[in-house]
Amino acid sequence: MNKKIYITRHGESQWNVEGKVQGVTDTPLTQKGIEQAYELARKIKEEKVPIDVILHSPLSRAADTARIIAEENNLPLICEPRLIEQNFGDYEGHEWAKHPGVFHEAKKQFACDWNGGESMLRLGQRIYNLIDELKARTIAENKTFLLVTHGGIARMFHSYFFSETNEEFSSTNIANCEIKEYKF
């Protein structure tokens, strides 16, 4: 079996520019983010990336990115609530520059929910269950999915396919509108 699945992160958002942890805070795309989405849509079309269905997070920065890609490539679009970014609790709005390294270290605490957020363990359950379902659908329906989501979701997604240390996990990143391919 050589079935594929693709994942991308939303275009640049306002809080990306401001250097803040977004989590479930719904921040809009910047003009640059919109342009990144159109650029990714063109890349998918030009490279003939074999996508059948786009699933996206309900947060506007991902939904708007997905909508642009779908419209430019005439692809069906489905909102998948489990692709919403992780709730980072007390870290929502955390400014990276004011506290360098603090959030990076916090991402290694897998059972911690940061005072009302979502722990890495619960996030892993949510995302791994979704990937298992998409793997089964990929085989049964012979479809290839593109997931338009967030950095934290992409990090957890990557960990499904690759063994990592806690340091490697917390350091795994995906750029705005970068597309990654994984094989089941």
Side-chain angles (χ1 to χ4, degrees):
M1 174 179 69
N2 192 16
K3 300 290 184 179
K4 299 174 184 175
I5 190 167
Y6 296 88
I7 190 167
T8 191
R9 183 178 173 207
H10 57 80
E12 179 188 78
S13 71
Q14 187 58 45
W15 274 20
N16 289 148
V17 173
E18 294 174 17
K20 294 180 180 179
V21 175
Q22 295 173 96
V24 294
T25 304
D26 201 0
T27 58
L29 291 176
T30 62
Q31 185 57 43
K32 179 180 177 181
I34 293 167
E35 291 166 8
Q36 289 171 328
Y38 277 107
E39 184 178 318
L40 177 55
R42 282 190 295 278
K43 177 182 177 178
I44 288 169
K45 186 180 289 184
E46 289 170 5
E47 295 181 7
K48 296 179 175 43
V49 179
I51 297 166
D52 298 302
V53 179
I54 297 175
L55 303 176
H56 67 86
S57 160
L59 294 175
S60 66
R61 59 191 184 268
D64 292 344
T65 300
R67 192 172 304 108
I68 290 167
I69 297 167
E71 288 172 359
E72 293 295 308
N73 287 279
N74 197 30
L75 292 168
L77 186 63
I78 301 169
C79 182
E80 171 49 71
R82 290 173 289 181
L83 289 174
I84 195 167
E85 179 61 293
Q86 183 175 7
N87 181 335
F88 294 119
D90 287 344
Y91 285 99
E92 295 276 326
H94 170 87
E95 295 180 49
W96 296 91
K98 287 186 179 178
H99 308 282
V102 171
F103 186 57
H104 175 78
E105 289 303 313
K107 289 186 283 185
K108 297 177 189 176
Q109 307 304 315
F110 287 73
C112 182
D113 72 1
W114 309 302
N115 293 321
E118 181 181 23
S119 72
M120 291 293 177
L121 293 174
R122 291 196 184 276
L123 175 66
Q125 178 185 21
R126 170 165 57 101
I127 298 305
Y128 283 22
N129 288 347
L130 175 60
I131 296 169
D132 285 343
E133 288 175 28
L134 293 175
K135 180 180 179 182
R137 286 185 63 192
T138 295
I139 295 164
E141 300 171 22
N142 195 31
K143 295 207 187 260
T144 303
F145 297 92
L146 168 63
L147 311 181
V148 181
T149 189
H150 310 274
I153 302 307
R155 178 181 309 106
M156 189 59 70
F157 189 87
H158 184 80
S159 75
Y160 180 95
F161 292 91
F162 297 97
S163 179
E164 299 175 296
T165 65
N166 287 355
E167 180 62 35
E168 290 167 332
F169 174 83
S170 64
S171 298
T172 297
N173 289 313
I174 185 170
N176 294 111
C177 285
E178 176 183 1
I179 188 168
K180 292 189 176 187
E181 174 188 279
Y182 292 88
K183 294 179 183 175
F184 289 117

